[in-house]
Amino acid sequence: MKMLRIKIEWSFFGALLFCLLPDCSLAGIHLSHSKATIELGHNFMVTCRDEAGRPVSWSGPKGTLGTKSHPGVEVSSYGTSLAFVPVTKEDSGTYSCRVGHDVSQFHLTVEVPITFMDTPPEQIGEENLDVTLRCEVKGGDKTVLIWTSEGKELQPPKYQQMGDGLLIRNVTRADSKTYTCRAMQRTTGNIRDQNIILKVEHKPVPRFPHLWKQIEQAWAFIGGDVNLTCEVDANPPAKFEWFRKNRLVTVRDKAAIHEPHRSILQLHANNSIVFGDYKCRATNRLGKLEKFITLQQGVQPDPPDVVRLHETGRHTISLTVEGPDMTNRTIAASMLPSGYRIQYKATEENLDWDHAATADFVKREDNSYTLEELDKDTMYEMRVATRNLAGISEYTNSSIFKTSSATLAATSQFTLLVFLSCPIAFALIL
């Protein structure tokens, strides 16, 4: 009896020691995968093989699997496989491969592709009201939404995530920007972003508030042209109208320029009747904005007294422009020259002056004015007019000047080098 007990104890400890060896319970089973994440609709196969050739069976979340089940069991020379053809959403779970009393498990996660539904890339809200940006997600498993804008996650109380999107409270024009709706699957870490541009509708407001003057003055001289400009920011775009003495100004196509944010009324001062008060009205369905401009009669300046070449470079021409002296004329200080307008064109282009390039300059104390970004080694024809608040003078007679060439510049450097080297060479000879 004592001998039997010793044998049983040794058998127990021997079995225990054997089972402490690596992969004791799975010594003969080999799985091709222990886990996998597969996208919905794809085909996938996992294989189980026993080294000793013992029979292999498969079971899943719903019980035993066979050749006619889904997923189906397929037996081949390389093992007994479980074929998911195709992978369905219900296939997620743990599957067991059994060989006798030995079991090895495989876990399948089915990834359902994320798609966005009813999520327009451009959405509209109205100023001073709440708006909900729509973002609905289809697919995914345990999908969560994260909202960001300009790299920052959006937080209450200004923003609140809703079931079908993002609620933005008390929308202002500053909320007109791009928002990102990010959908993330917690089970797989898969993410997908949808950018949404919010356009806030608002009544017309000054386009450049720091430059805006509701009451403005403009000048023109008899025989001259003047542009009255009205610029606003509005969504929907504003409709512009011009009034003179409270009567709508009927303008020809060429007498007005209408753009989404700007209207320019172009007037030619044939006589003094054109001077007086004008009103610009910008309107959309949310409101209106008015601007008042008083057009006053001014004085046309005289042309410059002096225009001469100061210096040239490879891509620049500098002119010295002086005058005119208008102290002998009885005019308001506001009508004194404020700057110059230079027109220029390459002689080889054969352009008329209406298509020539133009550069405006503010009057400088050193009387030097430089045209830049010109072509090298090119002849330019130029003429100059004086500017003041009422417009420009007649142009001076044109003059032709030429930019420097690369060859001339290299020659100048060589000449300077020789000049500096000569005294040294002369000293060596002595």
Side-chain angles (χ1 to χ4, degrees):
M1 186 71 176
K2 184 176 181 181
M3 182 71 69
L4 179 61
R5 181 179 178 184
I6 293 173
K7 288 182 178 179
I8 292 174
E9 287 177 352
W10 274 109
S11 298
F12 171 76
F13 285 109
L16 177 61
L17 179 62
F18 177 77
C19 286
L20 289 176
L21 295 174
D23 295 331
C24 164
S25 61
L26 308 178
I29 300 178
H30 292 278
L31 272 177
S32 59
H33 302 78
S34 61
K35 61 181 178 179
T37 300
I38 307 299
E39 188 172 310
L40 178 70
H42 287 201
N43 296 333
F44 177 73
M45 180 178 288
V46 57
T47 302
C48 182
R49 179 171 55 86
D50 178 61
E51 289 184 346
R54 292 175 296 172
V56 173
S57 63
W58 279 98
S59 62
K62 296 181 181 179
T64 302
L65 300 170
T67 57
K68 296 183 179 180
S69 64
H70 178 86
V73 177
E74 297 182 4
V75 180
S76 63
S77 59
Y78 52 81
T80 302
S81 303
L82 200 57
F84 299 82
V85 184
V87 171
T88 66
K89 186 176 181 180
E90 293 74 22
D91 289 337
S92 288
T94 300
Y95 296 82
S96 299
C97 170
R98 297 180 181 273
V99 178
H101 295 292
D102 297 334
V103 179
S104 186
Q105 290 185 326
F106 158 74
H107 185 79
L108 175 64
T109 300
V110 178
E111 184 175 74
V112 182
I114 297 173
T115 57
F116 291 96
M117 301 176 57
D118 191 27
T119 308
E122 289 189 2
Q123 301 186 32
I124 296 174
E126 188 172 319
E127 188 176 29
N128 300 323
L129 298 179
D130 295 347
V131 63
T132 298
L133 297 183
R134 300 192 304 279
C135 182
E136 296 187 32
V137 176
K138 179 183 178 182
D141 183 25
K142 298 181 180 179
T143 303
V144 296
L145 295 182
I146 301 172
W147 285 89
T148 61
S149 181
E150 298 175 344
K152 297 180 180 179
E153 188 171 351
L154 304 177
Q155 303 289 348
K158 173 72 174 180
Y159 306 97
Q160 182 177 345
Q161 187 167 324
M162 311 293 287
D164 58 349
L166 178 71
L167 173 66
I168 306 177
R169 292 186 170 86
N170 192 25
V171 169
T172 67
R173 286 182 288 126
D175 295 318
S176 294
K177 53 187 175 182
T178 300
Y179 298 81
T180 299
C181 176
R182 169 167 288 181
M184 180 180 70
Q185 293 189 48
R186 285 184 292 183
T187 54
T188 64
N190 186 35
I191 62 173
R192 187 172 179 184
D193 292 345
Q194 175 68 42
N195 289 331
I196 301 170
I197 299 175
L198 174 61
K199 295 185 175 181
V200 177
E201 293 186 333
H202 58 89
K203 65 182 181 180
V205 295
R207 185 161 177 75
F208 305 104
H210 62 290
L211 299 176
W212 174 263
K213 294 180 181 178
Q214 189 172 18
I215 301 175
E216 192 174 288
Q217 295 192 359
W219 288 265
F221 53 82
I222 298 296
D225 297 319
V226 63
N227 291 337
L228 304 184
T229 303
C230 185
E231 291 190 85
V232 302
D233 189 10
N235 188 22
K239 174 186 176 182
F240 290 96
E241 295 175 304
W242 288 91
F243 296 86
R244 169 91 160 99
K245 296 181 179 179
N246 294 321
R247 296 180 61 181
L248 182 65
V249 176
T250 303
V251 295
R252 303 184 306 276
D253 291 341
K254 292 183 179 180
I257 300 174
H258 294 299
E259 299 172 347
H261 299 287
R262 180 173 67 170
S263 177
I264 302 174
L265 180 64
Q266 299 177 314
L267 300 174
H268 180 69
N270 289 317
N271 50 53
S272 59
I273 297 177
V274 75
F275 302 110
D277 295 330
Y278 291 81
K279 178 173 68 175
C280 168
R281 177 184 294 166
T283 310
N284 68 9
R285 63 180 180 81
L286 298 175
K288 66 180 181 180
L289 181 66
E290 294 182 336
K291 181 175 183 175
F292 301 88
I293 302 176
T294 299
L295 179 59
Q296 302 182 56
Q297 183 172 349
V299 175
Q300 183 180 21
D302 296 330
D305 295 328
V306 175
V307 176
R308 65 173 179 267
L309 179 65
H310 177 61
E311 63 180 4
T312 63
R314 293 178 63 186
H315 300 287
T316 60
I317 293 178
S318 295
L319 301 180
T320 296
V321 183
E322 299 176 0
D325 183 4
M326 297 179 63
T327 57
N328 59 342
R329 298 179 58 178
T330 305
I331 60 173
S334 59
M335 291 296 103
L336 291 175
S338 58
Y340 301 100
R341 175 169 295 174
I342 302 177
Q343 278 193 315
Y344 59 99
K345 56 184 180 178
T347 56
E348 61 186 23
E349 293 178 340
N350 293 321
L351 297 175
D352 55 37
W353 285 113
D354 289 337
H355 296 90
T358 299
D360 286 340
F361 296 91
V362 176
K363 195 171 177 59
R364 293 167 53 96
E365 291 185 2
D366 62 3
N367 298 321
S368 179
Y369 305 92
T370 302
L371 296 172
E372 299 179 335
E373 299 183 2
L374 305 178
D375 294 331
K376 64 181 180 182
D377 196 22
T378 302
M379 298 183 69
Y380 286 90
E381 187 176 2
M382 303 181 179
R383 62 180 189 172
V384 185
T386 307
R387 295 170 52 235
N388 70 1
L389 289 176
I392 65 171
S393 69
E394 298 293 335
Y395 280 97
T396 60
N397 294 328
S398 64
S399 301
I400 295 178
F401 306 107
K402 185 178 181 182
T403 53
S404 302
S405 66
T407 304
L408 288 174
T411 302
S412 298
Q413 292 176 1
F414 177 75
T415 303
L416 179 61
L417 178 61
V418 172
F419 177 77
L420 292 174
S421 301
C422 281
I424 300 174
F426 183 70
L428 290 174
I429 293 172
L430 292 177

